[in-house]
Amino acid sequence: MTVRSDGPLMRNYGQSMRGSRIAVAIAIGILLGCVCAFLFTHGFFGSDFSIQGHRAGIDTLKVDSSPCESSERINMLKSAFLSVSQKNSKLKKQVSELTEKLRFAEQAKDHAEKQFEVLGEKHKAGPFGTVKGLRTNPTVAPDESVNPRLAKILEKVAVQRELIVALANSNVKDMLEVWFTNIKRVGLPNYLVVALDDEIAHFCNSKDVPVYKRDPDEGIDSVAKTGGNHAVSGLKFRILREFLQLGYSVLLSDVDIVYLQNPFNHLYRDSDVESMTDGHDNMTAYGYDDVLDEPAMGWARYEHTMRIWVYNSGFFYIRPTIPSIELLDRVADRLSREKAWDQAVFNEELSFPSHPGYDGLHASRRTMDFYLFMNSKVLFKTLRKDSELSKFKPVIIHVNYHLDKLPRMKAVVDFYVNGKQDALNPFPDGSDWLPLTPQDTSVVS
């Protein structure tokens, strides 16, 4: 039995074999294509150049990698690394300094924010008798650019950013010597004389007294050098402003004052201005209800007024606050425009309330103990005549009520320092003669 090769079965087999061969050929072609693509990434025509370049790079590397040149390259890399390390160290130091400054700035910001919260935040009133208002204003930020030379002096002289300051020209040289001699005796290092002329500057230097001689100022130098007590008293408000701008609290002092104790131990520091009084007892010093009788008013004949004797502009403690600086500006401005007594202007600006056409100064104030910070009226009219009070030792004696200042200052030293019990006896209660006008009574300042 014969089978024909061109039967259906054989035809199917032949066709399948041909399909398999085609598939294998296609697979081989794809495989060869992948191999070529891998080996000749830059194409068949660029392969020679790539290989040559690759070989050239290898040859160069072989040349550069000689032991000598390799050592030099390592040294260069080390030097470069060292330089970068040093720069990095400097940068780290600068970053550290900036971080520290930023920390201080943030602390100052936090402090300012807390002050704002205290002043600006609304509070509920507490129980009866527990409510207290704010009296102590925050100090200003120090500004050394105002007077760099004075700032350096104050850094050396001041203690806890406060000091005694007195203005003086050659007219008060003898009183000035009594003034600083007793300050030294008490042991106070933080005091400064603002010399208004060259003679006082040389005198203070010869006595080892801290002194500051102002830079020339044509507008006020003539007043400083030749002016009397009134003119100098007006000048001090302008000069005092710089101390406050630099961030220092000042105990402003006239030179007709004898220091017997350290005044800084008896200050409260809770107000913008803390001043001695011209009052001579509790009523005149601290205030009282003064009743005026006007019979023509019938039932309303009695009119009540609140009275207090003036603060002494020759001895007061002033803190570096905005209201304090505003006070100095107001007084100095008025004295430049008006023929007025500086102590009267000083008290008016501190006391007058706001009213139509006038904005009052919002400064806090405190009256000093009139027995501790004593004026010469209290001393000569009251204390020396009382056997018990005469045993009391004040902090300072201000010879403000009398014209014969120098002999009375020396008598005060004899009485309290040298123990001469009769040293005050020869002097009358008041001065031998009286000024002609109220303005001339500025000797009290």
Side-chain angles (χ1 to χ4, degrees):
M1 181 177 176
T2 61
V3 179
R4 294 181 60 177
S5 59
D6 56 350
L9 181 61
M10 291 303 293
R11 284 197 300 270
N12 292 336
Y13 176 76
Q15 291 174 356
S16 64
M17 287 295 292
R18 282 194 299 272
S20 298
R21 285 195 294 270
I22 292 171
V24 170
I26 291 172
I28 293 172
I30 293 172
L31 180 61
L32 289 173
C34 292
V35 171
C36 291
F38 178 76
L39 294 177
F40 305 101
T41 56
H42 299 286
F44 290 102
F45 297 102
S47 60
D48 292 338
F49 299 102
S50 175
I51 293 172
Q52 291 174 2
H54 181 65
R55 288 177 179 174
I58 293 175
D59 294 339
T60 302
L61 181 61
K62 287 180 180 179
V63 173
D64 291 343
S65 60
S66 62
C68 181
E69 293 187 1
S70 177
S71 176
E72 291 180 358
R73 182 177 293 274
I74 291 174
N75 290 335
M76 291 175 61
L77 290 174
K78 286 183 178 180
S79 178
F81 179 77
L82 181 61
S83 176
V84 171
S85 298
Q86 291 175 348
K87 291 181 180 179
N88 187 44
S89 177
K90 291 181 180 178
L91 288 173
K92 285 183 177 179
K93 185 178 179 180
Q94 292 176 353
V95 170
S96 177
E97 292 175 353
L98 290 174
T99 302
E100 189 70 9
K101 291 181 180 179
L102 180 62
R103 185 175 67 85
F104 283 123
E106 289 176 348
Q107 288 180 348
K109 179 183 176 183
D110 292 341
H111 182 64
E113 289 177 348
K114 288 178 181 178
Q115 286 185 343
F116 177 79
E117 290 175 0
V118 171
L119 296 174
E121 183 182 353
K122 294 182 178 179
H123 297 275
K124 292 183 178 179
F128 180 81
T130 64
V131 177
K132 297 286 186 181
L134 294 175
R135 289 185 294 274
T136 307
N137 285 306
T139 57
V140 299
D143 183 7
E144 293 188 1
S145 65
V146 171
N147 191 330
R149 186 166 66 89
L150 178 59
K152 292 181 180 180
I153 295 175
L154 296 182
E155 286 180 4
K156 299 177 181 179
V157 174
V159 175
Q160 296 181 349
R161 300 193 71 82
E162 58 184 12
L163 73 161
I164 302 171
V165 175
L167 279 67
N169 59 22
S170 54
N171 294 335
V172 295
K173 181 178 178 180
D174 293 335
M175 284 192 293
L176 177 64
E177 185 169 14
V178 177
W179 180 83
F180 65 67
T181 298
N182 284 277
I183 286 180
K184 289 182 177 182
R185 181 186 52 78
V186 172
L188 293 171
N190 52 332
Y191 68 100
L192 181 69
V193 175
V194 178
L196 301 179
D197 55 39
D198 292 334
E199 182 179 350
I200 288 298
H202 296 322
F203 177 66
C204 289
N205 287 326
S206 67
K207 298 293 183 178
D208 195 26
V209 171
V211 63
Y212 163 65
K213 177 67 169 60
R214 297 176 52 258
D215 292 329
D217 188 331
E218 294 181 0
I220 57 179
D221 271 0
S222 59
V223 174
K225 294 178 180 179
T226 62
N229 288 343
H230 312 309
V232 172
S233 294
L235 176 62
K236 67 189 175 188
F237 294 98
R238 295 181 59 178
I239 296 177
L240 187 57
R241 189 188 205 275
E242 292 186 351
F243 287 81
L244 269 58
Q245 285 182 276
L246 293 171
Y248 290 86
S249 297
V250 174
L251 184 57
L252 194 282
S253 173
D254 282 352
V255 296
D256 57 343
I257 294 176
V258 178
Y259 286 77
L260 303 173
Q261 298 184 57
N262 186 344
F264 294 106
N265 294 337
H266 301 275
L267 298 175
Y268 285 81
R269 301 175 177 84
D270 63 347
S271 304
D272 296 305
V273 178
E274 195 168 343
S275 178
M276 74 171 293
T277 174
D278 277 356
H280 57 89
D281 56 23
N282 286 335
M283 290 178 58
T284 57
Y286 309 136
Y288 62 101
D289 180 12
D290 186 24
V291 182
L292 174 67
D293 184 7
E294 191 175 359
M297 289 299 297
W299 173 79
R301 64 182 292 180
Y302 299 111
E303 299 169 347
H304 295 260
T305 65
M306 298 307 299
R307 297 283 297 278
I308 182 174
W309 285 30
V310 294
Y311 287 148
N312 192 288
S313 62
F315 188 86
F316 60 88
Y317 179 82
I318 186 166
R319 296 175 57 247
T321 66
I322 292 298
S324 296
I325 296 175
E326 184 182 0
L327 169 66
L328 299 180
D329 288 350
R330 288 186 177 212
V331 175
D333 177 63
R334 283 188 56 185
L335 291 176
S336 68
R337 294 183 290 102
E338 305 172 13
K339 188 176 181 181
W341 178 23
D342 72 284
Q343 181 159 291
V345 175
F346 177 72
N347 279 272
E348 288 171 1
E349 293 299 334
L350 270 176
S351 304
F352 284 174
S354 298
H355 55 264
Y358 176 79
D359 291 328
L361 179 70
H362 299 284
S364 57
R365 53 183 182 159
R366 170 180 282 274
T367 305
M368 293 177 172
D369 187 321
F370 72 92
Y371 277 126
L372 291 175
F373 300 92
M374 187 179 295
N375 59 61
S376 56
K377 180 176 183 177
V378 175
L379 175 64
F380 287 99
K381 188 177 179 181
T382 305
L383 186 137
R384 66 169 175 168
K385 301 175 183 178
D386 189 304
S387 59
E388 292 300 320
L389 284 177
S390 60
K391 299 177 183 177
F392 176 77
K393 186 177 183 180
V395 176
I396 61 109
I397 299 288
H398 189 177
V399 187
N400 60 323
Y401 268 99
H402 300 87
L403 296 176
D404 49 342
K405 296 177 180 295
L406 184 58
R408 289 186 187 251
M409 290 178 70
K410 292 180 178 179
V412 168
V413 175
D414 283 339
F415 182 80
Y416 285 103
V417 178
N418 301 327
K420 296 182 179 180
Q421 297 302 311
D422 60 347
L424 302 177
N425 295 344
F427 298 92
D429 290 352
S431 296
D432 291 335
W433 58 276
L434 296 176
L436 298 177
T437 65
Q439 283 74 21
D440 288 334
T441 60
S442 58
V443 292
V444 300
S445 64

